[in-house]
């Protein structure tokens, strides 16, 4: 079971460089998410996609763009990386529960350092 | 806005102790609450999910309770082991959105 797969696992960027974090899920989930995790601040939502073809901003979208390429894939792009974007990035997907609400599945994370 | 708090931020206990981790949330309008484990350098692994209509869930040595009206959940770990050392996070679900606590870092000393 692959679940949610993120690449790359580790990346070092110079300030101003661009890069794309890739995410794919094989669980046929409609909704996908990108979070960042920083010490003492917990997980903060960057962007999410409720379904193929739709994306919405989360709590901290500035400096990021996303693409929901198809139902399986949801990528996160840093156009001009800044040191403040040094963080751990998690992709996730969710499924609706029979009793209402959703449950969430996470990828293994991508460690990004901007120097 | 929903806020989720976990206290304490860190906890150190000797092996074999029973322990309780706490999670509180400000808005009781939730669908469910989920407890996760995170090992260093890893993603989040789901431990237990409690629907809003439920009071508790159990899995092995873990028992999670939910008091929605008071905005509280506890994760009880029985007979702790060094392998339980990790960060434990709780999250509440309000539909499309999830709100996470900052976690409790647990160290179980052999």
């Amino acid at each position: 079971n692959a679940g949610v797969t993120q690449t790359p696992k580790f990346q070092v960027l110079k300030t101003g460089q661009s890069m794309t974090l890739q995410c794919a899920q094989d669980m046929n989930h409609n909704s996908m998410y990108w979070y960042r995790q920083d010490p003492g601040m917990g997980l903060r939502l960057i962007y999410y996609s409720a379904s193929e073809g739709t994306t919405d901003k989360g709590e901290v979208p500035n400096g990021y763009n996303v693409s929901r390429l198809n139902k399986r894939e949801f990528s996160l792009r840093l156009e001009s990386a800044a040191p403040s974007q040094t963080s751990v990035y998690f992709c996730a997907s969710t499924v609706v529960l029979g009793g209402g609400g959703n449950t969430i599945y996470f990828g293994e994370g991508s460690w990004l350092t901007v120097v | 806005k929903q806020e989720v708090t976990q206290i304490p931020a860190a906890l150190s206990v000797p092996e074999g102790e029973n322990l309780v981790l706490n999670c509180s949330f400000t808005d009781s309008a939730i669908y469910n609450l989920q407890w996760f484990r995170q090992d260093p350098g890893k993603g989040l692994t789901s431990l237990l999910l409690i629907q809003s209509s439920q009071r508790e869930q159990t899995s092995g040595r873990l028992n999670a309770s939910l008091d929605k009206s008071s905005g509280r959940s506890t994760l009880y770990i029985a007979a702790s082991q060094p392998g339980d050392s990790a960060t434990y996070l709780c999250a509440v679900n309000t539909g499309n959105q999830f709100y996470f606590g900052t976690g409790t870092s647990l160290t179980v000393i052999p």
Side-chain angles (χ1 to χ4, degrees):
Chain A
N1 282 343
V4 180
T5 305
Q6 294 180 230
T7 57
K9 177 91 172 179
F10 300 99
Q11 184 74 46
V12 179
L13 285 177
K14 294 182 179 179
T15 298
Q17 285 186 319
S18 63
M19 76 159 297
T20 299
L21 299 177
Q22 306 285 354
C23 176
Q25 51 91 10
D26 63 0
M27 297 175 283
N28 202 36
H29 291 169
N30 286 323
S31 299
M32 298 184 72
Y33 299 72
W34 277 106
Y35 291 91
R36 60 177 289 173
Q37 186 179 36
D38 302 289
M41 304 197 72
L43 282 144
R44 292 183 292 169
L45 181 64
I46 304 171
Y47 272 94
Y48 72 100
S49 170
S51 62
E52 184 179 352
T54 68
T55 60
D56 287 285
K57 294 179 180 180
E59 181 184 357
V60 289
N62 291 345
Y64 305 95
N65 287 303
V66 290
S67 295
R68 183 74 183 267
L69 305 172
N70 47 55
K71 190 171 185 180
R72 290 187 64 249
E73 297 172 290
F74 188 38
S75 62
L76 178 71
R77 183 162 178 84
L78 286 69
E79 291 290 352
S80 178
S84 62
Q85 294 178 304
T86 294
S87 188
V88 184
Y89 292 85
F90 287 100
C91 179
S93 67
T94 66
V95 65
V96 178
L97 295 171
N102 297 272
T103 188
I104 189 166
Y105 296 84
F106 285 92
E108 288 282 292
S110 297
W111 274 252
L112 176 65
T113 301
V114 183
V115 297
Chain B
K1 179 193 168 187
Q2 179 77 262
E3 292 187 2
V4 181
T5 304
Q6 291 185 249
I7 295 173
L11 183 63
S12 183
V13 300
E15 181 177 2
E17 265 201 14
N18 302 325
L19 58 100
V20 174
L21 306 180
N22 297 295
C23 173
S24 61
F25 48 96
T26 54
D27 188 342
S28 62
I30 65 169
Y31 281 106
N32 60 64
L33 184 143
Q34 204 163 352
W35 282 93
F36 295 89
R37 170 182 173 139
Q38 186 175 27
D39 293 289
K42 298 291 186 181
L44 281 72
T45 301
S46 180
L47 296 172
L48 290 164
L49 181 147
I50 312 175
Q51 293 278 34
S52 61
S53 59
Q54 298 174 323
R55 292 300 298 254
E56 64 179 279
Q57 282 287 337
T58 298
S59 177
R61 293 183 294 109
L62 306 180
N63 176 276
S65 67
L66 174 65
D67 184 342
K68 200 175 79 159
S69 60
S70 68
R72 296 185 180 185
S73 176
T74 61
L75 178 67
Y76 175 83
I77 303 177
S80 58
Q81 303 171 357
D84 295 330
S85 297
T87 297
Y88 293 80
L89 294 94
C90 64
V92 297
N93 171 236
T94 59
N96 277 337
Q97 297 302 322
F98 294 81
Y99 298 89
F100 295 85
T102 51
T104 294
S105 176
L106 173 66
T107 302
V108 181
I109 303 166

